[in-house]
Amino acid sequence: MLYKNIKKIYHDIFMSYAHPELGTHIKKIMELDVYLPYSSTFFCITNTQDLTFEFVSKNMTACLGLEKNVLLKEGMRNFWSRIHPEDIELWLRGLNDLMEFTLAEIPVNHRYQMSYTWNYRLKNAQDEYVNIIQNTTPLEFDAEMKPIIGLAHYTVMDINIQMPITVTAKLLNENNEYETKYFNNYSQKLLTDGLSNRERDVIRLLTLHNSSKEIADLLNISPNTVDTHRRNILKKLNISSTGELIGMLKMNTNFL
């Protein structure tokens, strides 16, 4: 796909354009390191109006071998040029669906508490593709409450890990726990597509070593409901224990 076509579609998604409490969002992002195979990460602040990076953390070079000054100068055009050609259309479709879902289903006063995750393959400085999981928290909104500035957290994964293109939207609730509001898989269907959003939340909290009672408190449901979700999860995934579940997560981290 040509850059000018990407730029038009991207602008269509974010067209027509406030600070949440960032500390809690960042703390929740850091929890991902508990179950990811390794933590090769960097941060950027993205501007969807100007298609620029307002900030790029110094660890980006260690992760990808790219010079951050180039990204700061050339912006998203440089970054997009490195996305795998087979992933661009799926990535843009996912962004569009996340935006449409947010505008249609998330009340304005809750959009400050949203967090979005998607993934794609990206070419590093050695011209080798790696998997990228991107988690973005909105920082600034336009007059219509569309996000225009975001804090993006990137985790670099080995290309040998098979990762379908997925997108997720989560809401930070009053207990400072993320609840999955939207999930979609744009690649081949997996068994995990049969999981409900609530079951994904239970799985994520189990991998953080929370008990059923603790999960119940965080998600505002009863311990009996949590236990029911746990049984259904094991049955749907055809596994026998939480330990086996965590092992599966290490090979398929992006569906949470």
Side-chain angles (χ1 to χ4, degrees):
M1 182 179 294
L2 297 176
Y3 164 71
K4 63 180 180 180
N5 295 331
I6 299 175
K7 183 177 180 179
K8 180 181 184 305
I9 295 172
Y10 198 84
H11 267 306
D12 287 344
I13 294 171
F14 290 99
M15 67 183 296
S16 70
Y17 306 100
H19 274 287
E21 295 181 358
L22 293 181
T24 303
H25 278 296
I26 293 172
K27 180 176 181 293
K28 300 306 295 184
I29 291 172
M30 290 174 65
E31 286 183 355
L32 293 173
D33 290 338
V34 173
Y35 62 85
L36 288 175
Y38 57 88
S39 182
S40 181
T41 64
F42 61 97
F43 290 86
C44 295
I45 295 179
T46 59
N47 186 323
T48 62
Q49 284 186 316
D50 299 335
L51 305 182
T52 59
F53 293 102
E54 302 292 329
F55 170 80
V56 178
S57 69
K58 62 182 180 181
N59 199 39
M60 188 275 299
T61 300
C63 291
L64 297 174
L66 305 176
E67 292 297 330
K68 74 172 188 176
N69 289 335
V70 175
L71 285 185
L72 289 171
K73 180 180 178 180
E74 300 185 7
M76 294 182 182
R77 177 177 184 174
N78 180 283
F79 201 77
W80 290 340
S81 70
R82 294 183 170 277
I83 296 178
H84 197 291
E86 295 177 2
D87 295 349
I88 291 176
E89 182 178 351
L90 300 179
W91 164 69
L92 287 170
R93 190 189 310 169
L95 286 184
N96 186 68
D97 288 348
L98 284 176
M99 182 63 72
E100 289 184 348
F101 169 79
T102 298
L103 297 180
E105 303 293 337
I106 304 300
V108 169
N109 63 319
H110 284 168
R111 292 179 194 170
Y112 292 99
Q113 284 77 47
M114 293 302 294
S115 181
Y116 304 92
T117 303
W118 55 85
N119 67 289
Y120 44 84
R121 290 169 290 178
L122 188 83
K123 186 185 296 183
N124 63 20
Q126 289 73 45
D127 289 333
E128 299 171 342
Y129 283 103
V130 295
N131 284 306
I132 298 287
I133 300 175
Q134 180 175 342
N135 180 284
T136 295
T137 301
L139 303 182
E140 295 284 353
F141 297 82
D142 66 3
E144 298 183 10
M145 289 303 294
K146 277 187 156 186
I148 56 175
I149 304 290
L151 173 65
H153 172 270
Y154 304 81
T155 299
V156 182
M157 309 287 289
D158 189 274
I159 194 61
N160 292 317
I161 299 175
Q162 297 298 312
M163 301 178 69
I165 304 300
T166 66
V167 301
T168 307
K170 296 185 179 72
L171 172 69
L172 192 66
N173 67 20
E174 61 270 24
N175 293 324
N176 289 332
E177 178 51 50
Y178 279 134
E179 296 185 22
T180 302
K181 296 298 182 181
Y182 179 87
F183 173 85
N184 202 352
N185 177 3
Y186 294 88
S187 300
Q188 70 274 18
K189 292 298 181 182
L190 300 178
L191 179 60
T192 51
D193 284 350
L195 296 173
S196 69
N197 287 340
R198 180 64 83 200
E199 287 167 346
R200 295 177 192 281
D201 294 333
V202 170
I203 290 174
R204 177 164 41 81
L205 291 170
L206 284 172
T207 63
L208 295 173
H209 307 293
N210 289 288
S211 66
S212 289
K213 184 180 185 307
E214 290 170 331
I215 294 173
D217 291 340
L218 290 168
L219 297 179
N220 297 313
I221 57 180
S222 73
N224 286 337
T225 299
V226 174
D227 289 336
T228 298
H229 284 312
R230 293 180 67 161
R231 289 192 296 271
N232 289 339
I233 290 166
L234 296 180
K235 182 177 180 180
K236 287 182 178 181
L237 299 183
N238 193 28
I239 56 180
S240 59
S241 67
T242 301
E244 188 176 350
L245 174 64
I246 293 173
M248 175 184 290
L249 277 177
K250 290 182 177 180
M251 295 303 296
N252 188 20
T253 55
N254 60 323
F255 78 87
L256 294 179

